[in-house]
Amino acid sequence: MTAQTIATAAVTDEDKAAIAALPQRVVEAWAAHDADAFANVFTPDGTMIIPGHFQKGRDAIRAFLTQAFQGAFKGTRVTGTPVDLRFANAESGILITQGGILAPGETEPSAERAVHASWVVIKREGQWYLAAYQNSPRHAA
């Protein structure tokens, strides 16, 4: 048995469902323009990297989104669908999603707002959190 097989064997279906639910929690928090709910998906020291922005820690993520929901992200929604999930061990893994920011009235992100994203997920005290998030454009510039 390889180390990857052992790590995956220790991950339950409940863990997989909780990780797959993280993007939905982000989608719901964004739709409500709830910076607190969005930041609480992250670990206390989690990082978020999106084009032009780097935020470290829940407080910084919360502060950034509080302002962004009043400015550049006002009226927007996001979408994110898991496309790959793999584990380093029973308490950490990587989730890959595709999605993006939806302008008012859109059901799919435009090419300039469509992204692939990497989510580093970790389990702490029985809960799955986002330790690091980074996205990049899905289409060539």
Side-chain angles (χ1 to χ4, degrees), residues 12-63:
T12 67
D13 287 341
E14 184 178 276
D15 288 324
K16 292 175 187 174
I19 293 165
L22 290 174
Q24 186 58 36
R25 288 177 56 199
V26 165
V27 165
E28 290 169 3
W30 194 293
H33 287 78
D34 186 341
D36 288 327
F38 187 98
N40 287 335
V41 174
F42 287 81
T43 60
D45 61 348
T47 57
M48 179 180 77
I49 302 172
I50 60 175
H53 301 279
F54 169 80
Q55 303 298 324
K56 182 172 182 178
R58 278 187 191 150
D59 292 341
I61 293 166
R62 181 181 298 108

Side-chain angles (χ1 to χ4, degrees), residues 14-136:
E14 184 178 276
D15 288 324
K16 292 175 187 174
I19 293 165
L22 290 174
Q24 186 58 36
R25 288 177 56 199
V26 165
V27 165
E28 290 169 3
W30 194 293
H33 287 78
D34 186 341
D36 288 327
F38 187 98
N40 287 335
V41 174
F42 287 81
T43 60
D45 61 348
T47 57
M48 179 180 77
I49 302 172
I50 60 175
H53 301 279
F54 169 80
Q55 303 298 324
K56 182 172 182 178
R58 278 187 191 150
D59 292 341
I61 293 166
R62 181 181 298 108
F64 169 76
L65 284 174
T66 296
Q67 287 188 322
F69 287 149
Q70 299 304 311
F73 297 150
K74 187 174 185 173
T76 63
R77 294 177 298 121
V78 291
T79 183
T81 304
V83 295
D84 188 37
L85 174 61
R86 57 190 180 276
F87 296 90
N89 56 47
E91 296 186 341
S92 64
I94 298 171
L95 173 65
I96 305 297
T97 60
Q98 70 177 26
I101 296 176
L102 300 168
E106 288 183 334
T107 57
E108 290 293 322
S110 64
E112 60 270 5
R113 289 189 303 277
V115 299
H116 279 115
S118 298
W119 309 55
V120 177
V121 295
I122 64 169
K123 191 174 188 179
R124 289 193 177 161
E125 299 176 6
Q127 293 276 74
W128 285 95
Y129 293 96
L130 188 49
Y133 172 88
Q134 180 169 2
N135 72 40
S136 60

Side-chain angles (χ1 to χ4, degrees), residues 1-9 86-89:
M1 221 181 227
T2 67
Q4 179 63 34
T5 303
I6 293 167
T8 302
R86 57 190 180 276
F87 296 90
N89 56 47

